[in-house]
Amino acid sequence: MRHDHYFKDVSHLCTIDVYRVLELFGVTDPAIAHAIKKLLMPGDRGAGKDEEQDIREAIDSLTRALVMRDEDRKK
């Protein structure tokens, strides 16, 4: 199958949440994890934010992730 790395065996689980998804896919950068969380359910997380606000905050988080990488390269 093409792109096997996108498929994870979750047969041992009854349900999964965003934290399990992050773990299964090896997401360790907290800024990227924050963006993924917002993008999985934009405007529908019960936080009183609309879809556009969640998307903007995800972009902010991803921008911060890139800035941090630049900072680390300059060490």
Side-chain angles (χ1 to χ4, degrees), residues 22 26-31 33:
L22 296 170
V27 177
T28 59
D29 184 308

Side-chain angles (χ1 to χ4, degrees), residues 8-71:
K8 304 298 180 186
D9 180 8
V10 294
S11 60
H12 64 290
L13 303 169
C14 294
T15 61
I16 59 171
D17 63 2
V18 64
Y19 302 106
R20 181 66 75 181
V21 169
L22 296 170
E23 177 188 62
L24 287 166
F25 285 90
V27 177
T28 59
D29 184 308
I32 292 173
H34 189 250
I36 291 169
K37 185 178 88 165
K38 290 187 165 290
L39 292 172
L40 282 173
M41 294 184 62
D44 193 29
R45 295 177 305 106
K49 297 178 183 179
D50 64 13
E51 186 174 285
E52 186 173 322
Q53 183 63 33
D54 276 337
I55 292 169
R56 289 183 190 284
E57 289 181 13
I59 291 168
D60 290 344
S61 293
L62 294 172
T63 299
R64 179 61 181 137
L66 291 173
V67 168
M68 289 171 66
R69 287 176 184 209
D70 285 343
E71 292 169 347

